[in-house]
Amino acid sequence: MENKLSKSKEVILTRVRESQVLARLPEIMPESTDGLKSHHQPESDLLNSLQKEFDLLGVETYVEKNQKAVCKRLRNLLQDKSVLSWNLDNLPYDAGTVLQSRNVYFERDDKIIQASADIGLTGCDAAIAETGSLVLLSGEGKPRTASLLPFEHIALIRQSDIYFTMSDFFDKKGKEVSQASCIDIITGPSRTADIELSLTLGVHGPGKVIVVIGP
């Protein structure tokens, strides 16, 4: 993978260097795009790569074998905390059944009430194995607030929604991306550092990200 990334990086830097001489970007030569092509890997390899990136980013990760196990894991994670959720029909694994008899808010609720939720619960339109990023396409029933306002964000991921690169996802789901009101790319918990490099989590978004990956 490192060789492919290095080749892609070299292609980009070569074009930039040439543009400095020509004052314009040169055409992309077909033979120079090999490192930018889509990557097709077995599902198990994608999952392993994704888990490694999640570990590096500090994302709490659970991989479950079936829908029942996903719901059980989600129930344990939620405990008795309040939840700001995507609409139930947008959650995979019939996860809405776990939210019954709980304190759950949706986008129709007042923003102040939404902000009071302990946990944000969403599905996931794509998980990018190369970077450990979650891609969420906003739209009706899929508010951005669910992944931005609460300090803790739980995302439910289907293995069929794991792609190696962002370009793989765009190639496959370009139409859905173009129709979304907004696209959020979440790479680990929100973090920032001051001039003394003191790291602070959760300043601009959730300070804790948990993913539950089902079949």
Side-chain angles (χ1 to χ4, degrees), residues 56-83:
L56 292 173
L57 292 166
V59 175
E60 195 172 315
T61 307
Y62 300 94
V63 180
E64 306 297 350
K65 293 182 178 178
N66 51 51
Q67 175 174 311
K68 184 178 179 181
V70 170
C71 289
K72 181 180 180 181
R73 176 66 64 185
L74 179 61
R75 190 175 294 107
N76 291 337
L77 290 169
L78 294 179
Q79 299 178 0
D80 59 351
K81 297 176 181 176
S82 58
V83 180

Side-chain angles (χ1 to χ4, degrees), residues 2-206:
E2 289 183 357
N3 289 337
K4 291 180 179 177
L5 289 178
S6 298
K7 188 173 182 179
S8 301
K9 183 179 178 182
E10 184 56 34
V11 169
I12 293 170
L13 292 178
T14 299
R15 294 189 67 211
V16 171
R17 280 195 292 270
E18 291 177 0
S19 71
Q20 289 176 327
V21 176
L22 302 173
R24 63 178 175 79
L25 283 174
E27 296 295 326
I28 299 177
M29 301 302 290
E31 64 270 18
S32 69
T33 60
D34 291 347
L36 303 177
K37 287 182 177 177
S38 295
H39 305 78
H40 300 289
Q41 298 188 1
E43 210 167 70
S44 58
D45 291 350
L46 289 175
L47 179 59
N48 290 335
S49 298
L50 182 64
Q51 285 183 276
K52 288 178 182 176
E53 291 301 318
F54 281 156
D55 287 343
L56 292 173
L57 292 166
V59 175
E60 195 172 315
T61 307
Y62 300 94
V63 180
E64 306 297 350
K65 293 182 178 178
N66 51 51
Q67 175 174 311
K68 184 178 179 181
V70 170
C71 289
K72 181 180 180 181
R73 176 66 64 185
L74 179 61
R75 190 175 294 107
N76 291 337
L77 290 169
L78 294 179
Q79 299 178 0
D80 59 351
K81 297 176 181 176
S82 58
V83 180
L84 173 58
S85 175
W86 279 6
N87 284 6
L88 303 187
D89 54 358
N90 287 320
L91 295 175
Y93 305 116
D94 203 17
T97 57
V98 180
L99 300 181
Q100 293 176 359
S101 303
R102 292 178 182 272
N103 201 9
V104 183
Y105 311 127
F106 299 96
E107 65 177 332
R108 61 177 177 269
D109 291 307
D110 185 88
K111 289 289 189 298
I112 295 177
I113 294 176
Q114 293 184 41
S116 69
D118 299 312
I119 294 176
L121 177 64
T122 71
C124 180
D125 294 285
I128 309 302
E130 184 182 41
T131 59
S133 302
L134 307 176
V135 181
L136 308 185
L137 303 179
S138 299
E140 187 176 355
K142 301 168 65 180
R144 297 183 68 208
T145 50
S147 63
L148 290 175
L149 286 180
F151 184 80
E152 203 169 313
H153 174 208
I154 298 177
L156 306 177
I157 302 173
R158 290 179 289 230
Q159 290 197 32
S160 58
D161 290 326
I162 301 175
Y163 300 84
F164 186 66
T165 68
M166 192 68 75
S167 63
D168 292 344
F169 168 61
F170 287 154
D171 284 346
K172 190 80 178 289
K173 298 290 184 178
K175 183 177 180 181
E176 287 85 342
V177 172
S178 67
Q179 293 175 342
S181 61
C182 184
I183 176 170
D184 290 306
I185 301 172
I186 302 166
T187 306
S190 168
R191 61 189 71 202
T192 189
D194 60 18
I195 197 170
E196 296 180 341
L197 301 180
S198 300
L199 185 65
T200 304
L201 297 177
V203 175
H204 306 294

